[in-house]
Amino acid sequence: MNQTVAQIARHYVRGNKIPEPMLNRVEHGIRCYDPCLSCSTHAVGQMPLHVQLIGPDGTVLSEVARG
């Protein structure tokens, strides 16, 4: 799951901003690993997420949350 989220971040993050559509992609990536088909396909777009972009020195550069 970590590799999937990292790959999504490499594709979407430019500079110090987390684009809003990235949350949907991260949710989709996480749901791919859900063993319950019902859980992985229902309530799409409603998963509570909190994504932070952390700089090399450990400071929070950007963050976006949903739910």
Side-chain angles (χ1 to χ4, degrees), residues 4-6 23 27 34 40-41 44 47 57-58 60 64 67:
T4 298
V5 172
L23 289 179
E27 178 182 359
D34 196 327
S40 69
T41 58
V44 173
M47 178 185 283
D57 61 353
V60 176
V64 64

Side-chain angles (χ1 to χ4, degrees), residues 10-51:
R10 280 192 291 277
H11 181 77
Y12 279 91
V13 175
R14 298 289 178 256
N16 293 340
K17 294 289 183 185
I18 300 172
E20 182 67 29
M22 184 180 152
L23 289 179
N24 291 335
R25 296 297 183 175
V26 168
E27 178 182 359
H28 181 259
I30 292 169
R31 287 183 184 275
C32 287
Y33 294 93
D34 196 327
C36 175
L37 182 60
S38 178
C39 295
S40 69
T41 58
H42 290 94
V44 173
Q46 298 177 18
M47 178 185 283
L49 290 172
H50 183 202
V51 177

Side-chain angles (χ1 to χ4, degrees), residues 1-10 29 33:
M1 227 184 301
N2 287 340
Q3 289 178 345
T4 298
V5 172
Q7 185 178 18
I8 292 166
R10 280 192 291 277
Y33 294 93

